[in-house]
Amino acid sequence: AVAASGAAASEYSAGALEAAWNFVAARLPGLTFVACLAWLADRLAALKLMGGNISPLLYATLTGLVVGNTVLAKGSDLASRGRPVLKPGVAFAKARMLRLGIILYGFKVSV
């Protein structure tokens, strides 16, 4: 009975590991895309345009708006191929990581 329960536990852990890998693999392209946009917004903020008075958060918002309405706009060839691949990761970043970022930003403001 002990050997059978050990085999079941290893099958369960292998199944959980595979499910975790599938979760990450489905979201990785979109998360990489979002990370590249965040890096671009950070580099734009480092240029200190307009005297450096513009927040990196504003640059991130503007970068997202520009890319979303030009490169990934509906009807473009890149969007038709890229949207299905990027959507899970972008949705994860938009829902989960944005909440975490807002919480961490709140800690920064209050400390």
Side-chain angles (χ1 to χ4, degrees):
V2 173
S5 66
S10 68
E11 287 178 26
Y12 174 74
S13 63
L17 185 62
E18 184 178 350
W21 172 252
N22 290 338
F23 180 86
V24 171
R27 286 154 182 81
L28 194 58
L31 287 173
T32 303
F33 179 71
V34 169
C36 289
L37 288 180
W39 176 83
L40 177 63
D42 185 57
R43 295 293 88 212
L44 286 172
L47 293 175
K48 299 202 185 291
L49 303 172
M50 300 179 132
N53 295 327
I54 299 178
S55 165
L57 293 174
L58 183 58
Y59 280 110
T61 303
L62 293 174
T63 304
L65 284 170
V66 168
V67 170
N69 288 310
T70 56
V71 177
L72 293 178
K74 289 183 179 176
S76 77
D77 186 43
L78 182 60
S80 64
R81 290 180 290 147
R83 273 185 191 268
V85 175
L86 298 176
K87 188 174 181 175
V90 171
F92 181 79
K94 189 170 68 171
R96 307 288 181 164
M97 295 180 76
L98 180 59
R99 287 183 191 154
L100 177 63
I102 291 169
I103 291 168
L104 293 175
Y105 189 71
F107 281 132
K108 177 183 172 187
V109 169
S110 64
V111 172

